Amino acid sequence: MNKKPIYEQIYEDFVREIKRGRYRTNERLPSVRQLAKDLGVSKTTVESTYALLISEGYIENIPSYGHIVLNIDTLISGCGEKSSRCSKAQNSRILYDFSYSDLSSESFPLSLWRRLTNKALLSEDIDKASHYGDKQGEPELRKEIAAYLRLSRGMLCDPDQIVITCGIQYSLDIIVKLSDKRVVAMEEPGYYNIRDTFINNGYEILPVPVEKDGIDLDSLRDDAGLVFTTPSHQMPTGAVMPYSRRKQLLEWAENADSYIIEDDYDHEFLYDLKTVQPLQSIDTYDRVIYLGTFSKVFSPALRLSYFVLPKKLLQKYHRLFHYYYCMVSWLQQRIITLYMAEGYWERRVNKIYSDNRRKRNAILNAVKQYMGEKVSVSGSEGGTHVVVTVSGTREQDELISLALQKGVKVYSTMPFWLNKDKAPLNSILLGFNAVREADVFPGIKLLSEAWF
Amino acid sequence: MNKKPIYEQIYEDFVREIKRGRYRTNERLPSVRQLAKDLGVSKTTVESTYALLISEGYIENIPSYGHIVLNIDTLISGCGEKSSRCSKAQNSRILYDFSYSDLSSESFPLSLWRRLTNKALLSEDIDKASHYGDKQGEPELRKEIAAYLRLSRGMLCDPDQIVITCGIQYSLDIIVKLSDKRVVAMEEPGYYNIRDTFINNGYEILPVPVEKDGIDLDSLRDDAGLVFTTPSHQMPTGAVMPYSRRKQLLEWAENADSYIIEDDYDHEFLYDLKTVQPLQSIDTYDRVIYLGTFSKVFSPALRLSYFVLPKKLLQKYHRLFHYYYCMVSWLQQRIITLYMAEGYWERRVNKIYSDNRRKRNAILNAVKQYMGEKVSVSGSEGGTHVVVTVSGTREQDELISLALQKGVKVYSTMPFWLNKDKAPLNSILLGFNAVREADVFPGIKLLSEAWF
């Protein structure tokens, strides 16, 4: 008799079947209850099996939907959706990766970082390297960020409104506690990496459909104390919320006594829309919690983000988080402060902007040249990815696997949907933050050969 | 008529009165309701005033107790309890600081950090500096930590059980979500900086009295899903939980289906108790969540901590936090990995241990020589502070202010108490992590002159 616990035996059956290709990417697995019934085992056993499959990167749990099989390349190369999780070896078969999250490996300023580290270690106030710091982050860095937001986004905010954090989920872990209501309105489709943060904090998620002008205001409910939105370049559709709707959204927040969480994650890349103002800068009601990040322009490995609180919420923030410590090491804060103060940040923003603008144009041209009428492209006004909708009957998983067979990695829009049934089955994400400019044309050419 | 909002006017009155010395350190302010009644203003107004006083560092809010005035030196030098918040100027009148939280400014290994930074930047897998990393932290660092825990604490844990975080509050922000019950048992008195983390996550706090053998097991309730304890050197009393009670506590957790959060924050400093085993290493029920930190030995400014999950909780952890990103920058993780792998960490532990042991002995000797029978010392078997109980009728705030008048900074035990009425009024914390060895005798001599 097999000594392994039953949930492990079931796990191994799944892995075998998945590797045999019995499941499609994003295919939904039977519910825990159903499978337990079918196999005549307890629900706990099935839950353990699914948890193991999740932790091993085979499937993912989409809240209020179910468990789905991860991208087909997971099964082939054994690495999950986040390319960072794949070793070079596993990725070696990938010739062109159109990732939308990571940056190109060459982009880290090694020698400059070395120089600024030395400079930071010579700081007069080096004793701070051995002491607890300000829970909001070092005032000097908050000053630099405030100046940058003013320059780049026309935002007026006091450094005292800025809180420096180690990433968006940890920003939200604080922000969710500032609202008394326990419902959050989220864009549908929307940025899925943060859904669980709300759910883990006891929030109910109200999905709000995204139209070409951003979220549909009529679908908002007053019991939503928070609205999470990406108005300047909606993730993933790329929809841009026009001024009039921004004003209406702020109006709604004031009337509902709610707060807007504005994730301005890629505002540095508003190619054709330099003039789009963030909600925060046109908000006369003090209703916007603004999220910014160093991940898109510098590196996600820095783990450096920040949020800007409305003055209204400062007292509550200090009351609830009085004893909390800062999230980011003093030394890294000092290095980034020097980086910004000496003008390197502005220069980098400009460089990455023009690099990405060229890569964006290259993608549009290459897609036009090689795919013509067979696809339609949207969301290209800004950001580091475009959405390609492929004509015909082929579905995402097939399109992704066809591409992979040629060594081209493209991405699914499925995880962004809470309600998978509403997800368009033929739209694909092409990111260009990590890909080399010279690789765009050959990559798209190969993709076209894979698809048509 | 005064144009300032009323809450600001009340705020200014308070500040004036506080500066005039009208309030004692740790004196409780009237309740919001009471003060609103007395002044004939709304409760919101008073809440705003108190929030402003908190954010300006004059008072603090002790959950389920009320608002108390901060240490007397706050009023004199205008800086709060955390010495890191004081500029050198504000501290200049302090000749001897017996802080228990920070490290000495000289202790940061500047040139070594510079060298390891250069080495880290030359890593073969430097592309990780531009990519998202493992949500639990880099596997290499978790391996080093697992090896260290085995060596220093006899703990057997798999690197997959370790999660690297940016501080204890953020470790707990994850841990609290792994329990289904919403009550946490906390040591009374206990480490106050984390109380709000539980409260902010919707937990009820069950204070459990600390005896000379650690927490009183009879005061535990089965609806407590988590027990937060510092068994090897209780904060602040220094009580050490003997083996028998540790076993009973684990037994209790198994029967109550609860988990023990073991904060082993200063285990490197068990001077006379090298043999005390952590709960985690004697736990046969898989019921211990172990917390470790780099703050006490290396620096709190690193913002580097970790926790070790019981295998039982791994599946739930992966299910709830599947999409979360890591909290600590890849580069810092790599630098610390090199620091540990090359043996510097072990050497530093040994050095800081013997430095602190000498300083601890110096304090015991100095106190004996200068204060003799007038005080009793406890909690000196380990850690980086001792508790001094002063005979006579003088209370903490007077003892602290008498010391400050001579330029000696000592610390109150009051914040550690949830129920202030039970707090001994004549016990003082003397820390020695930051003070220089040569300063111990003159510092204690001066303290004795201040007190007697």
Side-chain angles (χ1 to χ4, degrees):
Chain A
M1 135 191 201
N2 189 332
K3 287 214 184 37
K4 287 203 177 117
I6 295 171
Y7 81 89
E8 271 189 46
Q9 299 178 34
I10 305 176
Y11 164 81
E12 284 164 359
D13 296 343
F14 263 112
V15 172
R16 201 178 316 107
E17 291 304 312
I18 287 174
K19 292 204 160 145
R20 280 198 192 134
R22 142 131 191 245
Y23 297 96
R24 286 183 296 101
T25 298
N26 296 322
E27 175 170 344
R28 176 154 55 167
L29 297 179
S31 72
V32 171
R33 177 187 308 277
Q34 186 57 48
L35 187 59
K37 196 153 153 294
D38 298 350
L39 299 178
V41 297
S42 77
K43 285 202 311 194
T44 324
T45 302
V46 175
E47 279 162 1
S48 303
T49 302
Y50 280 3
L52 194 54
L53 284 164
I54 289 170
S55 70
E56 293 303 316
Y58 288 105
I59 66 174
E60 66 188 46
N61 178 27
I62 306 297
S64 69
Y65 172 71
H67 296 82
I68 65 170
V69 179
L70 277 173
N71 289 358
I72 204 80
D73 59 324
T74 314
L75 331 176
I76 300 166
S77 68
C79 75
E81 177 244 352
K82 284 212 237 90
S83 56
S84 56
R85 289 178 141 192
C86 323
S87 74
K88 278 210 173 66
Q90 288 169 317
N91 250 350
S92 54
R93 46 183 304 288
I94 307 291
L95 305 173
Y96 306 101
D97 184 347
F98 289 96
S99 161
Y100 55 87
S101 64
D102 295 329
L103 268 78
S104 73
S105 303
E106 299 72 29
S107 64
F108 194 90
L110 297 172
S111 58
L112 177 57
W113 190 274
R114 202 175 287 123
R115 187 172 78 66
L116 294 179
T117 300
N118 296 343
K119 193 164 180 178
L121 291 172
L122 294 170
S123 303
E124 265 197 358
D125 54 356
I126 186 63
D127 58 324
K128 288 185 177 171
S130 307
H131 292 174
Y132 283 100
D134 187 315
K135 71 173 186 291
Q136 285 179 256
E138 292 300 306
E140 298 78 8
L141 179 53
R142 288 187 273 126
K143 264 199 212 83
E144 289 295 335
I145 291 170
Y148 170 64
L149 290 176
R150 179 164 195 163
L151 180 79
S152 64
R153 300 301 271 147
M155 282 170 55
L156 296 178
C157 70
D158 186 292
D160 292 348
Q161 293 171 255
I162 297 176
V163 178
I164 290 163
T165 76
C166 59
I168 187 167
Q169 287 115 351
Y170 309 102
S171 296
L172 292 174
D173 245 332
I174 289 178
I175 290 164
V176 292
K177 297 171 173 74
L178 298 174
S179 166
D180 301 324
K181 311 183 201 170
R182 277 293 173 270
V183 175
V184 57
M186 282 190 69
E187 295 169 333
E188 167 77 341
Y191 184 44
Y192 61 92
N193 295 63
I194 55 150
R195 255 183 228 131
D196 292 345
T197 310
F198 290 109
I199 292 167
N200 290 342
N201 282 283
Y203 270 74
E204 176 202 333
I205 290 184
L206 169 68
V208 178
V210 173
E211 307 157 336
K212 70 175 218 325
D213 287 349
I215 56 172
D216 166 29
L217 298 178
D218 301 335
S219 309
L220 290 171
R221 274 178 2 211
D222 284 7
D223 62 345
L226 298 170
V227 177
F228 183 91
T229 180
T230 50
S232 296
H233 184 247
Q234 202 273 336
M235 187 70 189
T237 66
V240 178
M241 192 185 291
Y243 183 83
S244 55
R245 185 167 295 201
R246 288 172 192 243
K247 287 304 254 183
Q248 290 164 10
L249 179 58
L250 293 165
E251 195 77 38
W252 174 87
E254 174 67 5
N255 296 332
D257 188 19
S258 301
Y259 291 90
I260 312 291
I261 304 173
E262 175 177 33
D263 184 11
D264 208 24
Y265 66 106
D266 65 358
H267 72 79
E268 284 88 355
F269 308 118
L270 298 175
Y271 311 113
D272 316 321
L273 311 153
K274 269 280 176 213
T275 57
V276 175
Q277 293 170 289
L279 288 162
Q280 201 275 356
S281 70
I282 60 172
D283 172 24
T284 55
Y285 301 115
D286 203 27
R287 287 287 173 186
V288 174
I289 301 164
Y290 178 94
L291 304 188
T293 179
F294 286 73
S295 295
K296 286 279 170 181
V297 168
F298 199 101
S299 164
L302 269 191
R303 310 313 305 130
L304 192 60
S305 302
Y306 54 88
F307 60 87
V308 183
L309 284 171
K311 291 206 167 69
K312 251 193 210 105
L313 285 176
L314 281 178
Q315 295 167 4
K316 185 166 188 182
Y317 165 73
H318 287 296
R319 200 165 58 235
L320 295 185
F321 298 95
H322 176 70
Y323 283 119
Y324 281 55
Y325 299 125
C326 178
M327 295 188 201
V328 182
S329 86
W330 173 82
L331 194 59
Q332 172 161 315
Q333 290 188 72
R334 174 56 54 93
I335 290 167
I336 294 294
T337 305
L338 294 169
Y339 187 84
M340 296 181 89
E342 296 183 10
Y344 294 106
W345 172 255
E346 198 183 336
R347 258 171 275 166
R348 181 173 176 106
V349 168
N350 294 335
K351 173 156 189 348
I352 305 251
Y353 166 81
S354 45
D355 289 352
N356 278 338
R357 193 178 209 288
R358 282 200 314 278
K359 289 194 276 184
R360 190 271 315 244
N361 294 342
I363 285 205
L364 294 180
N365 293 333
V367 166
K368 192 168 175 201
Q369 175 174 331
Y370 296 114
M371 306 188 183
E373 302 304 306
K374 304 197 205 72
V375 302
S376 66
V377 179
S378 59
S380 65
E381 294 85 353
T384 59
H385 73 272
V386 297
V387 180
V388 173
T389 305
V390 183
S391 59
T393 59
R394 290 221 186 93
E395 299 190 356
Q396 283 193 11
D397 53 354
E398 191 185 354
L399 293 166
I400 289 168
S401 73
L402 284 170
L404 271 172
Q405 286 158 31
K406 291 267 189 185
V408 183
K409 196 168 177 189
V410 296
Y411 293 83
S412 166
T413 59
M414 195 59 74
F416 294 89
W417 290 84
L418 195 57
N419 181 347
K420 306 290 172 194
D421 310 338
K422 294 195 178 161
L425 293 171
N426 57 346
S427 71
I428 293 291
L429 285 184
L430 290 184
F432 46 87
N433 215 17
V435 71
R436 285 190 203 74
E437 186 180 0
D439 288 345
V440 170
F441 264 75
I444 297 295
K445 182 167 185 291
L446 203 54
L447 183 62
S448 171
E449 290 163 11
W451 282 352
F452 309 110
Chain B
M1 142 195 191
N2 190 331
K3 286 215 186 39
K4 290 205 175 112
I6 296 171
Y7 81 89
E8 270 188 47
Q9 299 178 36
I10 305 177
Y11 164 80
E12 284 165 359
D13 297 342
F14 264 111
V15 173
R16 201 178 314 106
E17 291 304 312
I18 286 173
K19 291 205 160 143
R20 283 201 191 129
R22 151 140 182 237
Y23 297 95
R24 287 184 296 101
T25 297
N26 296 324
E27 175 171 345
R28 174 153 58 166
L29 297 179
S31 72
V32 171
R33 177 186 307 277
Q34 185 57 46
L35 187 59
K37 195 152 156 294
D38 298 349
L39 300 177
V41 298
S42 77
K43 286 203 314 202
T44 324
T45 302
V46 175
E47 279 163 359
S48 303
T49 302
Y50 280 3
L52 193 53
L53 284 164
I54 289 171
S55 70
E56 293 303 317
Y58 287 104
I59 67 173
E60 65 187 47
N61 179 27
I62 306 296
S64 70
Y65 173 72
H67 295 83
I68 65 170
V69 178
L70 277 173
N71 290 358
I72 203 80
D73 60 323
T74 314
L75 332 176
I76 300 167
S77 67
C79 76
E81 177 242 353
K82 284 213 236 87
S83 56
S84 56
R85 289 178 141 192
C86 324
S87 74
K88 279 210 173 66
Q90 289 167 317
N91 251 349
S92 55
R93 48 182 303 287
I94 306 292
L95 304 173
Y96 305 101
D97 185 346
F98 289 96
S99 161
Y100 55 87
S101 64
D102 295 329
L103 268 78
S104 73
S105 303
E106 298 72 31
S107 65
F108 195 90
L110 297 173
S111 58
L112 178 57
W113 189 275
R114 202 176 286 118
R115 186 172 79 65
L116 294 179
T117 300
N118 297 343
K119 193 165 180 179
L121 291 172
L122 295 170
S123 302
E124 264 198 357
D125 53 356
I126 186 64
D127 58 323
K128 288 185 176 172
S130 306
H131 292 173
Y132 283 100
D134 188 314
K135 71 174 187 291
Q136 285 179 256
E138 292 301 304
E140 298 79 4
L141 179 52
R142 288 187 274 126
K143 262 197 215 84
E144 289 295 335
I145 291 171
Y148 170 64
L149 291 176
R150 179 164 196 165
L151 179 80
S152 65
R153 301 301 270 149
M155 282 170 55
L156 297 178
C157 70
D158 187 294
D160 292 348
Q161 294 171 257
I162 297 175
V163 179
I164 290 162
T165 76
C166 60
I168 186 166
Q169 287 114 351
Y170 310 102
S171 296
L172 291 174
D173 246 332
I174 290 179
I175 291 164
V176 292
K177 296 172 174 78
L178 298 175
S179 166
D180 301 324
K181 310 182 200 171
R182 276 291 173 270
V183 176
V184 58
M186 283 190 69
E187 295 170 331
E188 168 77 340
Y191 184 44
Y192 62 93
N193 294 63
I194 56 151
R195 259 185 224 128
D196 292 345
T197 310
F198 290 109
I199 292 166
N200 290 341
N201 282 285
Y203 270 73
E204 176 203 333
I205 290 184
L206 169 68
V208 178
V210 173
E211 307 157 336
K212 68 174 222 323
D213 286 350
I215 56 172
D216 165 30
L217 298 178
D218 301 336
S219 307
L220 290 172
R221 277 181 357 214
D222 284 8
D223 63 343
L226 297 171
V227 178
F228 183 91
T229 180
T230 50
S232 296
H233 185 247
Q234 203 273 336
M235 188 69 188
T237 66
V240 178
M241 192 185 292
Y243 183 84
S244 56
R245 186 170 294 201
R246 288 174 192 239
K247 289 303 260 183
Q248 289 163 12
L249 179 58
L250 294 165
E251 195 77 37
W252 173 88
E254 174 67 6
N255 296 332
D257 189 19
S258 301
Y259 291 91
I260 312 292
I261 304 173
E262 175 178 33
D263 184 10
D264 208 23
Y265 66 106
D266 65 359
H267 72 79
E268 285 88 357
F269 308 118
L270 299 176
Y271 311 113
D272 316 322
L273 310 153
K274 271 278 176 212
T275 57
V276 175
Q277 293 170 289
L279 288 163
Q280 201 275 356
S281 70
I282 60 171
D283 171 25
T284 55
Y285 301 115
D286 205 27
R287 287 285 172 187
V288 174
I289 302 164
Y290 178 93
L291 304 188
T293 179
F294 286 73
S295 295
K296 287 279 169 181
V297 168
F298 198 101
S299 163
L302 270 191
R303 311 312 306 129
L304 192 61
S305 302
Y306 55 88
F307 59 87
V308 182
L309 284 171
K311 291 205 166 73
K312 253 194 206 94
L313 285 176
L314 280 177
Q315 294 168 4
K316 185 166 187 183
Y317 164 73
H318 287 297
R319 199 165 57 235
L320 296 185
F321 298 95
H322 176 69
Y323 283 119
Y324 282 55
Y325 300 125
C326 177
M327 296 188 198
V328 181
S329 87
W330 172 81
L331 194 59
Q332 172 161 316
Q333 290 189 72
R334 174 56 53 95
I335 290 166
I336 294 294
T337 305
L338 294 169
Y339 186 83
M340 297 181 89
E342 295 182 10
Y344 295 106
W345 173 255
E346 198 184 335
R347 257 172 274 164
R348 182 174 176 107
V349 168
N350 294 336
K351 176 164 187 343
I352 306 249
Y353 167 81
S354 45
D355 289 353
N356 279 338
R357 193 177 210 289
R358 282 199 314 278
K359 290 194 274 184
R360 189 272 314 245
N361 295 342
I363 286 207
L364 294 179
N365 293 332
V367 166
K368 192 168 176 198
Q369 174 173 332
Y370 294 115
M371 306 188 183
E373 301 305 306
K374 305 197 205 72
V375 302
S376 66
V377 179
S378 59
S380 65
E381 293 83 356
T384 59
H385 74 273
V386 298
V387 180
V388 173
T389 305
V390 183
S391 59
T393 60
R394 291 222 186 92
E395 298 190 357
Q396 284 193 8
D397 53 354
E398 190 184 356
L399 293 166
I400 290 168
S401 73
L402 285 170
L404 272 171
Q405 285 158 31
K406 291 269 189 181
V408 183
K409 195 167 179 191
V410 296
Y411 293 83
S412 167
T413 59
M414 194 59 74
F416 295 88
W417 290 85
L418 195 57
N419 181 349
K420 306 291 171 193
D421 309 337
K422 295 199 179 156
L425 294 171
N426 57 346
S427 71
I428 292 291
L429 285 183
L430 291 184
F432 47 87
N433 215 16
V435 71
R436 286 190 202 73
E437 186 179 359
D439 287 345
V440 170
F441 264 76
I444 298 295
K445 182 167 185 291
L446 203 55
L447 184 62
S448 172
E449 290 163 14
W451 282 353
F452 309 111

